[in-house]
């Protein structure tokens, strides 16, 4: 039954892919050559490793010492890289530190942790790289070592450190997010991803400014690239990349779809159980979102590209080949894009590797190091710890080093050893299975493996033949390899599937031949090193035969050892970093570029008179010129003390304004000031921002009148406290276009100039009322934001495809059918495609439609809005939540100092508006019906994977709350968060 379900699943997916390829062929047929059409239909022939490498590098300039003047800044999040030329790398989950890594402590603290830390160190040594930051989570829990709570940790990079400049080198930067006093597994971190993004964004902006002063000539040094490692970090990198408009690179390490396929084949858990345990659906969507944003995807092997990334909606090997060919020739692809895949094997630091060159001629006897003539202190402590298990430690050692994870397949190895008498007589087995204190305190999967191993040792009576020490340090690992080499042993990796196999590289560097799984990265490693044998991990007889062959045939053992040592340089860190930087340099570089100038220093900037006037008198003048003179003078002194000339001008003008012309009313004077346009938005001087994003619409999608009273009530609440009101700006965020919003506000006698910013058309446009643009017009959208969100926006291709997918579904093919959608011209703009929903029952859910678009190489942000009466598509980098981060980047108003006011439901982007470091005020019983039912199909991730549960950043008030109650809730929100 499982096999049949698997066949059906594969067939359905391939059918959807073929349908997508056919649509792409039809849409691009007018300018596709015959050869390109064939490329889409015909399978791609595999290249040999040499041909593949030559072709990929034929047009690239290899990174060299000539780039040493670039001063790149690289950030790694076990999730991102930052280059300048900065590189940011990010790793969200697991325990990350530079020294004494607790590898194997749990399933989140494995080889990927070591890889990312080592790559940070190695990149910092490369010519042209100035600084490398590795982002991860700050953990304040007493359950873990205090070092994981340190905000910053400098990574040692060797003797070169003495020559480094200020702020240069490699660092671990720990960002607090989620429950700060508890160590959480990666499955529990998903609702807090946006908190991490906001914290990381604040660090990046501060660092870009600091580096600008040090090496950028006073101009911010923006990230060169942001690199996400693993799914959660990839999701974070995608959001950071969008907020900063810089290229993103992705390394998946292990992939959710592949893990889901493997777990389903095992037949032990249902899909629901798998999702409950691993949050696999949220992980897969994070990987899809990462593919949407990534310029480049780094893999360790070709197998990862073809058999793992090929399972994703957002990547199609055949379509990627065609789109790349069109891009090289400058042919229009109608907005379609596939990220570029590059195979770059991980590196290794060989500086501390000591290889006994004459071991091949020796007999493998270690007696001289244990009992005969050697001082006790000459024996590494870990050797004694291993050898105490063994009756005859002189025999060749079969070494396995991995976490006790079921997918590492250690139990099959023990069975193979136990059931092969010749192997037991000839060799010992050493299992380094992470670190443990008490099996009962370990996670279920790891504990189960260890218990099974102990039972098998007892079943086959392997006492004295199998070593399984409880503890080892990171610095012990080279000594363990050396001990295995001394005995002329063999290293084995029997994993069911191994994404790469870094331990195989380490073992080869110490002169150990290998036996490894034939599934995954070891295939590529074996092709490069030729230092061992590959086996089917499910065939324990094949495992036993391969091990026996290597330990019994001395000539074969010596040949494999020599081959490994001869070719191991291919996996050095300098080689890895050189290839990596070469690939990154080939990406389309982009970073924030403002068409309008920005004052670099608020104290020294020369503002226009109107701008200064509005800053000084903003709250007071909105109320009345003849209002509270004390408050007015206090505001004047605070805002204008740094510039006497501006102060005098403002006072003179205020003096004139306090003497209204005959017949003029106070409100007339007020309007003159509030309507006065300025060069820069007042937003840049606000310390807080209250964002009204309540989606109140009737059944026709028209804004309800109660939205007017809600805006007025919240505005009144903000002004109850003079200081709070003076510090706080107000923004409105809506799916309505500017023209409709303006008319709606006018109907309630609310002026546009009462708002510091307007986020319109679902985040596709940003306005600053009362601010002139370069064109000299009023109420024009921010041109910098329009440029900012342009990335991968293919409106023409999207128009055709959305229309076809929505209006040619089953049941709509008859000639009398009028379709599900029709264009909403009034609500559309250059970065927003808006449609009226004519038949809600036949409308596709967001995740279903997004999947179809991804399969066709189209990327955008889709949503249903306005009480499910509209559907809108905006650029990938645009959304109402991302617009808030843009305001942070553009005007330095920290997202953490914003509060978003929402109803209990809303448009399908509602969940995105809750998560993050901003405060959220939810007003109950004000939104009758939203659009969220159109967000997800039944097999998708859950709301709980996006929205955090109990959070001090979220508060509630009743819909009929008074201004005093609203203000007090806002005050408590900001106070609690602080």
């Amino acid at each position: 039954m499982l096999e049949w379900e698997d066949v059906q699943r594969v067939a359905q997916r391939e059918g959807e892919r073929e349908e997508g390829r056919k649509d792409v062929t039809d849409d691009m047929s007018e300018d596709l050559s015959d050869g390109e059409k064939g490329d889409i239909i015909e399978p791609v022939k595999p290249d040999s490793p040499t041909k593949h490498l030559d072709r990929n590098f034929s047009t690239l300039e290899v990174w060299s010492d000539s780039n040493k003047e670039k001063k790149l800044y690289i950030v790694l999040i076990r999730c991102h890289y930052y280059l300048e030329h900065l590189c940011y790398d990010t790793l969200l989950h697991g325990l990350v530190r530079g020294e004494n890594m607790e590898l194997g402590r749990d399933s989140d603290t494995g080889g990927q942790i070591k890889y990312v830390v080592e790559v940070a160190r190695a990149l910092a040594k490369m010519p042209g790289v100035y600084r490398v930051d590795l982002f991860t989570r700050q953990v304040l829990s007493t359950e873990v070592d205090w070092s994981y709570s340190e905000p910053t940790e400098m990574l040692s990079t060797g003797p070169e450190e003495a020559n480094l400049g200020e702020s240069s080198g490699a660092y671990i930067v720990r960002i607090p997010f989620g429950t700060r006093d508890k160590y959480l597994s990666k499955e529990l971190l998903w609702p807090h991803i946006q908190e991490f993004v906001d914290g990381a964004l604040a660090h990046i902006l501060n660092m870009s400014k600091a580096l600008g002063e040090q090496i950028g000539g006073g101009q911010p040094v923006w990230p060169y690239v942001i690199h996400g490692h693993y799914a959660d970090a990839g999701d974070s990198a995608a959001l950071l990349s969008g907020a900063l408009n810089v290229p993103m690179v992705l390394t998946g390490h292990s992939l959710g779809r592949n893990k889901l396929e493997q777990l389903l084949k095992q037949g032990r858990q249902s899909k629901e159980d798998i999702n409950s345990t691993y949050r696999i659906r949220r992980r897969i969507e994070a990987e899809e979102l990462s593919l949407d944003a990534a310029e480049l995807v780094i893999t360790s092997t070709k197998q990862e590209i073809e058999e793992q990334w090929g399972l994703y909606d957002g990547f199609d090997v055949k379509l990627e080949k065609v789109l790349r060919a069109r891009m090289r020739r400058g042919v229009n692809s109608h907005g379609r894009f596939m990220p570029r895949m590059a195979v770059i094997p991980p590196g290794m630091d060989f500086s501390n590797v000591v290889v006994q060159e004459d071991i091949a001629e020796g007999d493998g006897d270690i007696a001289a190091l244990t009992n005969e003539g050697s001082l006790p202190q000459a024996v590494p402590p870990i050797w004694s710890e291993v050898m105490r298990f063994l009756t005859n430690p002189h025999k060749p050692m079969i070494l396995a080093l991995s976490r006790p994870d079921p997918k590492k397949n250690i139990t099959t190895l023990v069975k193979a050893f136990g059931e092969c008498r010749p192997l037991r007589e000839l060799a010992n087995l050493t299992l380094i299975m992470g670190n443990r204190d008490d099996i009962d305190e370990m996670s279920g999967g790891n504990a189960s493996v260890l218990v099974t191993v102990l039972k098998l040792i007892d079943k086959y009576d392997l006492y004295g033949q199998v070593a399984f020490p409880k503890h080892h340090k990171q610095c012990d690992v080279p000594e363990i390899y050396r001990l295995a080499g001394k005995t002329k042993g063999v290293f084995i990796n029997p994993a069911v599937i191994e994404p790469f196999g870094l331990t195989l590289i380490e073992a080869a560097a110490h002169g150990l031949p290998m036996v490894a799984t034939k599934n995954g990265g070891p295939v590529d490693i074996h092709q490069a090193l030729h230092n061992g044998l590959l086996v089917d991990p499910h065939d324990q007889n094949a495992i036993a035969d391969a091990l026996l062959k290597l330990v019994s045939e001395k000539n074969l053992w010596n040949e494999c050892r020599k081959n490994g040592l001869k070719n191991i340089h291919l996996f050095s860190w300098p080689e890895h970093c050189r290839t990596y930087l070469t690939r990154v340099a080939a990406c389309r570089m982009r970073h924030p570029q403002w068409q309008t100038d920005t004052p670099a220093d608020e104290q020294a900037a020369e503002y226009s008179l109107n701008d200064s006037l509005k800053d000084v008198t903003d709250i007071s003048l909105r109320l009345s010129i003849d209002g509270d003179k004390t408050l007015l003078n206090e505001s004047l002194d605070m805002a204008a003390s740094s510039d006497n000339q501006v102060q005098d001008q403002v006072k003179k003008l205020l003096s004139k304004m306090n003497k209204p012309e005959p017949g003029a009313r106070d409100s007339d004077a007020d309007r003159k000031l509030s309507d006065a346009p300025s060069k820069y938005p007042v937003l840049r001087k606000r310390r807080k921002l209250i964002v009204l994003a309540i989606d109140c619409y009737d059944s026709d999608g028209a804004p309800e009148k109660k939205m007017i009273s809600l805006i007025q009530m919240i505005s009144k609440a903000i002004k109850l406290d003079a200081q709070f009101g003076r510090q706080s700006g107000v923004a409105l965020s809506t799916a309505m276009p500017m023209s409709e919003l303006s008319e709606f506000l006018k109907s309630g006698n609310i002026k546009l100039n009462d708002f510091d910013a307007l986020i319109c058309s679902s985040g596709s446009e940003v306005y600053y009322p009362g601010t002139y643009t370069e064109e000299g017009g009023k109420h024009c959208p921010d041109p910098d934001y329009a440029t900012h969100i342009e990335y991968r926006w293919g409106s023409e291709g999207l128009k055709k495809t959305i229309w076809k997918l929505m209006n040619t579904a089953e049941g709509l093919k008859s000639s009398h059918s009028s379709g599900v959608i029709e264009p909403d011209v009034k609500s559309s703009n250059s970065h927003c495609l808006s449609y009226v929903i004519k038949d809600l029952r036949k409308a596709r859910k967001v995740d279903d439609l997004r999947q179809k678009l991804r399969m066709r190489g189209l990327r955008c942000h889709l949503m249903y809005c306005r009480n499910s009466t509209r559907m809108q598509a905006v650029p990938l980098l645009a959304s109402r939540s991302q617009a808030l981060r843009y305001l942070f980047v553009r005007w330095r108003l920290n997202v953490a100092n914003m509060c978003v006011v929402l109803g209990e439901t809303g448009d399908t982007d509602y969940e995105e508006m809750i998560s993050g470091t901003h405060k959220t005020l939810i007003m109950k019983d004000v939104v009758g019906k939203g659009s969220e039912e159109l967000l997800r199909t039944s097999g998708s991730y859950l709301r709980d994977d996006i929205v955090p549960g109990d959070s001090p950043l979220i508060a509630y008030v009743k819909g009929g709350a008074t201004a005093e109650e609203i203000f007090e809730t806002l005050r408590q929100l900001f106070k609690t968060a602080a």
Side-chain angles (χ1 to χ4, degrees), residues 95-111:
L95 295 170
V96 183
R97 65 184 180 191
E99 306 297 335
N100 299 319
M101 297 178 212
E102 299 183 79
L103 302 182
R105 183 185 191 277
D106 58 22
S107 61
D108 293 342
T109 311

Side-chain angles (χ1 to χ4, degrees), residues 281-294:
R281 291 169 182 160
R282 178 64 181 91
R283 175 175 168 180
I284 290 171
E285 179 58 23
E287 288 160 344
E288 293 283 9
L289 289 169
S290 301
L291 285 175
D292 287 344

Side-chain angles (χ1 to χ4, degrees), residues 51-314:
K51 286 184 178 180
H52 183 78
L53 190 65
D54 290 345
R55 185 186 65 189
N56 286 342
F57 278 91
S58 59
T59 59
L60 299 183
E61 181 180 350
V62 177
W63 194 268
S64 66
D65 289 347
S66 63
N67 293 288
K68 63 183 179 181
E69 299 301 325
K70 285 185 178 289
K71 295 186 181 298
L72 308 186
Y73 174 25
I74 301 177
V75 177
L76 316 175
I77 308 176
R78 179 184 154 191
C79 265
H80 329 306
Y81 275 160
Y82 213 116
L83 282 165
E84 165 209 50
H85 294 78
L86 308 197
C87 223
Y88 274 107
D89 207 348
T90 310
L91 178 53
L92 297 191
H93 63 261
L95 295 170
V96 183
R97 65 184 180 191
E99 306 297 335
N100 299 319
M101 297 178 212
E102 299 183 79
L103 302 182
R105 183 185 191 277
D106 58 22
S107 61
D108 293 342
T109 311
Q112 301 104 320
I113 300 285
K114 182 178 180 181
Y115 164 78
V116 179
V117 171
E118 290 300 321
V119 80
R121 280 198 178 102
L123 280 169
K125 298 178 183 179
M126 293 296 293
V129 176
Y130 186 78
R131 179 182 171 106
V132 179
D133 280 350
L134 167 57
F135 284 169
T136 189
R137 180 176 179 243
Q138 184 185 44
V139 183
L140 303 176
S141 172
T142 56
E143 301 172 10
V144 300
D145 190 79
W146 65 270
S147 58
Y148 300 115
S149 66
E150 288 294 293
T152 306
E153 175 186 348
M154 186 172 185
L155 296 173
S156 59
T157 56
E160 301 88 348
E161 288 178 8
N163 299 320
L164 297 178
E166 184 183 1
S167 298
S168 63
Y171 298 81
I172 295 174
V173 179
R174 297 184 178 92
I175 305 294
F177 68 102
T179 305
R180 301 186 183 186
D181 60 350
K182 288 183 66 177
Y183 171 62
L184 301 177
S185 67
K186 60 179 177 290
E187 288 80 16
L188 300 179
L189 290 176
W190 289 114
H192 307 288
I193 291 295
Q194 294 206 52
E195 297 171 34
F196 170 83
V197 171
D198 293 338
L201 185 59
H203 172 89
I204 291 171
L205 291 176
N206 289 334
M207 185 54 62
S208 68
K209 181 179 179 181
L211 290 177
E213 295 170 355
Q214 293 171 26
I215 61 175
Q219 296 299 314
V221 176
W222 295 108
Y224 186 60
V225 67
I226 294 180
H227 190 148
H229 291 264
Y230 204 79
D232 48 8
D235 195 345
S236 303
L239 291 172
L240 278 170
S241 168
L244 290 163
N245 195 25
V246 299
M248 174 193 161
V249 176
L250 172 67
T251 300
H253 292 287
S254 63
L255 301 182
R257 284 200 188 275
N258 185 68
K259 182 169 186 173
L260 177 60
E261 293 292 322
Q262 296 292 331
L263 291 172
L264 289 173
K265 286 179 181 178
Q266 291 176 6
R268 298 171 187 168
Q269 294 176 288
S270 66
K271 273 189 175 182
E272 291 304 318
D273 290 339
I274 292 171
N275 187 60
S276 177
T277 303
Y278 299 105
R279 300 292 196 276
I280 203 76
R281 291 169 182 160
R282 178 64 181 91
R283 175 175 168 180
I284 290 171
E285 179 58 23
E287 288 160 344
E288 293 283 9
L289 289 169
S290 301
L291 285 175
D292 287 344
E295 289 270 359
L296 179 68
V297 178
I298 304 296
T299 71
S300 300
T301 66
K302 289 188 297 178
Q303 182 268 353
E304 187 180 343
I305 298 174
E306 297 161 3
E307 298 182 21
Q308 295 186 49
W309 282 118
L311 297 172
Y312 285 76
D313 304 326

Side-chain angles (χ1 to χ4, degrees), residues 773-818:
T773 66
E774 285 192 351
E775 291 78 9
K778 209 177 169 189
H779 300 156
C780 291
D782 182 345
D784 294 323
Y785 184 69
T787 303
H788 189 86
I789 64 176
E790 183 65 30
Y791 177 65
R792 289 190 185 171
W793 176 238
S795 58
E796 291 305 315
L798 279 167
K799 280 181 184 178
K800 292 181 182 179
T801 306
I802 289 175
W803 185 264
K804 183 174 183 179
L805 289 173
M806 293 292 285
N807 285 341
T808 60
E810 185 177 353
L812 296 176
K813 295 182 180 179
S814 59
S815 58
H816 62 273
S817 175
S818 59

